[in-house]
Amino acid sequence: MKKTFLAVFALFASSAIQAQFYVSASGGYAVGANEKVLGSNVSATGVSELEGSYGEGLHTQIRGGYFFNDKIGVEVGVGYVFGLDQDISKTSGVPTLPESMVAGRGRAFGASLVGIYNFTDNIYVRAGLLTKLGGKTEATGSVNTALPVYDAAGNVIAAPAPTSIDFTTNFRGEFPIGFVGAIGYKFELSEKIWLFTELEYMNIDVTRDTSDLGSFSAVRTDGRIVTRDELTNTITVLTSPLSTLPDTTKASLTSLSYLIRDEFTWGTEGTVKPDAPYSSFGINIGVMYKF
């Protein structure tokens, strides 16, 4: 029994000696992967799809890990995506539709839980689960069209005039689960400090849940400032069954009304809950400190 106890103790002692904690910080750039349709480009020549991924842009990460031995470890991390602008909607040169341009960008915090395997002292792979902790998909839009102004009772208070509408809408998503994987190369600067570079793939979509209005302004060419409530009243009248506007115009104005509300829950009032793609393929460069 004594020999057995000593053997078990020696095994754990050996594992403890080989085990190692570390922390790392990295930054990099990623291009979109698994791009999805974000919206459409409507012009006098036809309609085309706009594809992209909000994961395209700058990525930063802070990670901490533990190696059980020379080969196998586990790691948790948090990161931030500063996404580049992605075109969501464009409309131009169509008489029945407002001139518009809407772009979106990712501003998201994420977390990962992965396993790591060292092929050699320098080459490693890691793979595991990825999720979004917070942040938003931010959409900025500009709409130019000729509109009257109605009050809450449906009375005209200003004749039609060209109107410039600018807004920012923040989309919040449901809790997602995705995949992250990477292959990397690390090299030793000192006993405690290592540099590393890696190719990383992220595959994750965030289903839209709610949105809230970040900013709003509307100004007519006659100098009159249109309030958000006045624009909402105007859209309600212009999209009513009594309105003689074309159905395409009504649909465009209805879509605008969702984006300028203080808060809106997607999946209600006949709307869908689209997936916002955040998948990417990029390169990271960072520094690791071993305890």
Side-chain angles (χ1 to χ4, degrees):
M1 178 63 72
K2 184 177 181 180
K3 291 183 178 179
T4 302
F5 175 79
L6 291 175
V8 172
F9 178 80
L11 177 63
F12 277 101
S14 176
S15 297
I17 291 173
Q18 296 183 60
Q20 191 170 51
F21 288 98
Y22 69 90
V23 294
S24 69
S26 65
Y29 180 82
V31 297
N34 302 332
E35 295 184 345
K36 292 189 174 183
V37 176
L38 304 179
S40 59
N41 181 10
V42 182
S43 66
T45 58
V47 180
S48 59
E49 295 180 337
L50 297 172
E51 297 183 344
S53 171
Y54 300 114
E56 179 180 5
L58 301 176
H59 289 230
T60 60
Q61 297 181 51
I62 297 175
R63 305 195 294 254
Y66 176 80
F67 272 97
F68 302 101
N69 52 47
D70 289 340
K71 293 292 185 181
I72 299 173
V74 65
E75 178 184 87
V76 295
V78 293
Y80 182 73
V81 176
F82 186 87
L84 300 184
D85 285 1
Q86 306 290 318
D87 290 337
I88 297 176
S89 176
K90 291 182 179 180
T91 305
S92 62
V94 181
T96 59
L97 295 176
E99 299 278 320
S100 65
M101 173 65 187
V102 183
R105 47 182 172 259
R107 299 287 188 268
F109 293 93
S112 61
L113 174 62
V114 305
I116 306 175
Y117 183 80
N118 287 328
F119 285 108
T120 69
D121 290 340
N122 302 103
I123 300 173
Y124 65 92
V125 294
R126 58 183 181 86
L129 299 178
L130 175 69
T131 190
K132 180 183 175 185
L133 293 178
K136 60 190 177 182
T137 303
E138 183 182 78
T140 58
S142 176
V143 179
N144 294 282
T145 187
L147 291 174
V149 180
Y150 288 84
D151 62 17
N155 301 312
V156 177
I157 56 177
T163 305
S164 178
I165 305 164
D166 296 291
F167 61 89
T168 300
T169 303
N170 303 314
F171 298 105
R172 317 289 178 176
E174 298 177 354
F175 182 78
I177 293 292
F179 169 83
V180 59
I183 182 170
Y185 182 86
K186 57 187 177 180
F187 52 95
E188 183 178 2
L189 292 182
S190 67
E191 182 181 355
K192 298 290 187 180
I193 300 175
W194 293 61
L195 293 181
F196 67 90
T197 183
E198 58 186 20
L199 296 175
E200 182 178 58
Y201 171 69
M202 295 183 179
N203 185 5
I204 188 169
D205 294 331
V206 181
T207 301
R208 185 181 298 176
D209 186 20
T210 63
S211 61
D212 56 82
L213 186 64
S215 64
F216 171 85
S217 67
V219 182
R220 292 157 50 100
T221 53
D222 59 11
R224 190 184 195 282
I225 296 176
V226 181
T227 68
R228 200 277 309 273
D229 288 341
E230 287 175 336
L231 181 58
T232 299
N233 296 334
T234 299
I235 292 176
T236 299
V237 173
L238 295 180
T239 57
S240 71
L242 298 178
S243 172
T244 59
L245 289 177
D247 289 341
T248 52
T249 305
K250 290 183 179 181
S252 178
L253 291 174
T254 299
S255 296
L256 175 61
S257 72
Y258 301 141
L259 299 177
I260 63 171
R261 296 192 192 183
D262 282 332
E263 294 182 348
F264 183 71
T265 300
W266 294 85
T268 64
E269 300 183 30
T271 60
V272 298
K273 303 178 73 170
D275 287 336
Y278 271 82
S279 298
S280 64
F281 185 81
I283 183 169
N284 300 320
I285 298 175
V287 60
M288 176 189 303
Y289 181 84
K290 295 183 177 181
F291 294 95

